[in-house]
Amino acid sequence: MGSVRGWSSRRDRDERGWLRGAPPPRWVRVLPVLLLAVVTGATLATADAHDLGFLLGAIPPLAVLSYGPWATAVLGGAVVVVLNVPATHVNRPGDTDLLTVAFIALLSVFVSFVRSHRDAQLDTERAIGEAVQRAVMPPLPRRVGRVACAGFSRAAQHGTLVGGDFLDVRGGPYGVRAVVGDVQGHGLAALTTVVALLGAFREAVLDQPDLGSVAARMDRRLEVDSSGVRHAELFATAVLLEFSTDARTVRLVACGHPPPVLLRGGHAREVGVAAGPPLGIGLAGAGPPKEVTVALGPRDRLLLASDGVWEARDASGAFYPLPERLAALARTAPAALPGAVWADLLRHRYEVRDDATMLVLTAAPPLG
């Protein structure tokens, strides 16, 4: 599953990654060396280029962005050497303040040393954070029992793998069960709620006899977590599914979440299901959500998507027509379908403002 929000181009992705602390793009690394070569070559070629000497003072600070202290020291030393070579015509008194440039070079080495240690610490923290998030919502297996799975997730908050969306597919004594949901908020602030809901779902899969009871367990988890918190508005939407043993039928309930889309042949339609209240507002008081049973053919595909996909907008403000576009992608293999929908969103320039999660489920032939 993916961790970052979609961007319109590879170049944009590289630059935004650099701003978040990732390695800088190649052009930033080349710039100090290129600037040194160009200025040195120009000043050696003609005395009329001696006014370019001031550009040499920018090389050590630029080196700090890309290089460690040793490489920064080498580039700073090269600048000082160039300033002292008569053939470059930049060593005339008054043209360049050598002491100032030397001080900038030494200061740049110190800043590069501090940055290198900070980057190492950030890399360690990022690795720990990613390990925790992957433990919360690990990549889906290719199949669970008789159900083939394909998941996709993009967090709206940069630098996170898990946002406010969650999904899971689990086998248990009552069949294969799946969930896709969206908690209030997104990013790391919603991670605690995601952990609580996934934990409740995974436990309920093992001991709750029907989907209504699974939803009630998740609802109670949110109620307990928000009890005692003043003005707490903790809630989540979700859709839960349970496949029969042969995966020819699926039962589902929706708790304030968009319904699944059934792709059958070249046609796609929303599954008709009455959406119950969101989790966290007390399903016991509102009554259990209504369960719907859908028959599945051997090549039918169910796609579940979060609000980030359904509510993506184009330049005119129109929502992304998921069933219509899904029908146009009907020839795509089930495992590649979530990625194809995401690529379609970007290709048609729809803006995704929220976490985006998709899950495709299909009946798989028995093993062996």
Side-chain angles (χ1 to χ4, degrees):
M1 290 186 296
S3 62
V4 288
R5 193 178 180 179
W7 295 294
S8 58
S9 68
R10 182 175 180 179
R11 177 181 177 183
D12 187 31
R13 180 167 65 249
D14 291 342
E15 291 179 354
R16 294 193 188 197
W18 170 45
L19 293 176
R20 295 196 311 271
R26 181 176 299 178
W27 67 267
V28 176
R29 296 181 60 85
V30 173
L31 186 58
V33 178
L34 181 63
L35 185 59
L36 178 62
V38 169
V39 173
T40 302
T43 54
L44 286 172
T46 173
D48 296 333
H50 69 274
D51 289 337
L52 296 177
F54 76 94
L55 293 175
L56 295 173
I59 292 175
L62 287 174
V64 171
L65 299 175
S66 305
Y67 298 101
W70 287 108
T72 302
V74 169
L75 285 170
V79 168
V80 174
V81 170
V82 171
L83 290 174
N84 283 279
V85 174
T88 61
H89 311 290
V90 292
N91 65 327
R92 301 171 185 173
D95 287 349
T96 306
D97 192 336
L98 183 60
L99 291 177
T100 300
V101 173
F103 175 77
I104 292 175
L106 290 174
L107 184 62
S108 298
V109 171
F110 173 74
V111 173
S112 179
F113 175 80
V114 174
R115 182 192 60 79
S116 298
H117 280 259
R118 184 206 61 182
D119 288 351
Q121 182 178 3
L122 288 177
D123 288 342
T124 301
E125 294 175 354
R126 186 181 297 113
I128 294 173
E130 290 182 356
V132 171
Q133 293 178 77
R134 290 186 191 280
V136 170
M137 201 165 70
L140 289 175
R142 292 185 177 181
R143 62 181 289 164
V144 178
R146 290 288 303 275
V147 180
C149 316
F152 180 96
S153 183
R154 288 289 186 272
Q157 182 174 331
H158 296 312
T160 61
L161 299 177
V162 180
D165 291 351
F166 59 94
L167 73 160
D168 201 4
V169 182
R170 296 274 164 162
Y174 303 100
V176 176
R177 288 172 171 174
V179 64
V180 170
D182 183 3
V183 309
Q184 176 196 22
H186 57 262
L188 293 176
L191 185 58
T192 301
T193 307
V194 169
V195 171
L197 283 174
L198 285 176
F201 170 76
R202 290 162 183 168
E203 291 180 359
V205 162
L206 300 177
D207 54 28
Q208 295 300 323
D210 56 75
L211 289 180
S213 300
V214 176
R217 173 73 68 85
M218 298 171 71
D219 175 76
R220 184 171 179 270
R221 178 72 268 166
L222 289 186
E223 280 196 291
V224 170
D225 289 348
S226 61
S227 63
V229 180
R230 189 177 182 182
H231 305 304
E233 296 182 355
L234 191 61
F235 65 91
T237 64
V239 58
L240 297 98
L241 300 91
E242 179 182 290
F243 288 84
S244 60
T245 304
D246 57 8
R248 293 184 177 180
T249 61
V250 60
R251 291 178 290 275
L252 61 96
V253 297
C255 301
H257 198 84
V261 179
L262 175 63
L263 181 59
R264 176 172 290 164
H267 303 280
R269 64 174 179 85
E270 295 181 31
V271 176
V273 55
L279 304 173
I281 64 174
L283 289 182
K290 295 182 179 180
E291 184 177 295
V292 173
T293 301
V294 178
L296 296 177
R299 297 184 180 180
D300 289 352
R301 287 162 281 179
L302 280 171
L303 183 139
L304 301 89
S306 65
D307 289 345
V309 177
W310 284 96
E311 298 178 357
R313 295 174 182 264
D314 62 13
S316 66
F319 289 117
Y320 181 67
L322 180 57
E324 175 186 329
R325 297 306 306 157
L326 194 59
L329 300 171
R331 295 182 179 273
T332 306
L337 192 55
V341 173
W342 180 256
D344 189 66
L345 273 164
L346 300 184
R347 183 168 57 252
H348 291 87
R349 300 185 182 278
Y350 280 85
E351 182 182 5
V352 181
R353 301 179 180 178
D354 200 354
D355 302 316
T357 296
M358 287 174 278
L359 175 63
V360 172
L361 302 171
T362 57
L367 294 173

